[in-house]
């Protein structure tokens, strides 16, 4: 009879630096981290609607709060993360939603380009409606 050999399983040491080993990990975790700022901004807007419903004094206090340096930094970060999140999603769209016309698939660049184009047009419409130009 063969003698039974017991082996210890290999356990790879995981340090906190695993995320910076590959740029792909950093991009993924940055995208996931961005949702915290986008969610925070959404909650801030809901709070703003609540303040608006409570009357002019509450709304004026909310607007004053938005003028603080911390609020401005938060909004700049939230905008940067929203842009990053949108870009990564539009680049991912051809893989998540391949479009087939007849026997051929629409090229990835055409699908992503259509999304970026629609984003640019809608952004210009919003800016126009807001009186930016």
């Amino acid at each position: 009879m063969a003698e039974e050999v017991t082996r210890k399983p290999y356990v790879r040491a995981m340090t906190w630096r695993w995320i910076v080993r590959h740029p792909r990990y950093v991009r993924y975790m940055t995208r996931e981290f961005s949702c915290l700022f986008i969610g925070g901004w959404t909650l801030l807007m809901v709070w703003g609607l609540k303040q608006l419903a409570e009357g002019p004094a509450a709304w004026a206090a909310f607007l004053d709060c938005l003028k603080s340096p911390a609020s401005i930094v938060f909004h700049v970060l939230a905008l940067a993360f929203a842009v990053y999140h949108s870009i990564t999603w539009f680049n991912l769209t051809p893989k998540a939603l391949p479009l087939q016309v007849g026997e051929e698939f629409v090229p990835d660049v055409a699908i992503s380009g259509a999304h970026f184009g629609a984003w640019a047009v809608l952004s210009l419409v919003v800016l126009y409606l807001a009186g930016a130009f």
Side-chain angles (χ1 to χ4, degrees):
M1 276 198 179
E3 194 174 302
E4 192 173 320
V5 178
T6 59
R7 298 181 198 190
K8 292 182 181 179
Y10 172 71
V11 179
R12 183 173 58 167
M14 290 291 289
T15 66
W16 65 272
R17 288 184 225 138
W18 71 269
I19 189 174
V20 295
R21 282 198 327 225
H22 299 291
R24 181 179 71 219
Y25 296 161
V26 174
R27 288 190 307 268
Y28 173 77
M29 291 308 290
T30 302
R31 179 170 164 66
E32 294 302 308
F33 182 71
S34 71
C35 75
L36 297 175
F37 284 86
I38 294 168
W41 184 84
T42 303
L43 291 175
L44 182 68
M45 292 300 106
V46 170
W47 180 54
L49 285 174
K50 178 186 171 294
Q51 297 301 93
L52 181 62
E54 288 184 4
W59 178 246
F62 175 73
L63 291 178
D64 285 341
C65 180
L66 291 180
K67 294 175 186 175
S68 73
S71 177
I72 293 170
V73 168
F74 172 76
H75 277 84
V76 168
L77 285 171
L79 177 63
F81 279 125
V83 168
Y84 178 73
H85 198 89
S86 299
I87 289 170
T88 57
W89 176 251
F90 290 158
N91 287 334
L92 177 70
T93 302
K95 292 163 184 56
L97 186 67
L99 182 61
Q100 186 173 359
V101 178
E103 296 293 319
E104 300 293 319
F105 282 94
V106 175
D108 289 357
V109 70
I111 295 172
S112 292
H115 282 84
F116 283 114
W119 185 23
V121 168
L122 289 174
S123 294
L124 290 173
V125 168
V126 168
L127 288 171
Y128 177 75
L129 292 175
F133 47 83

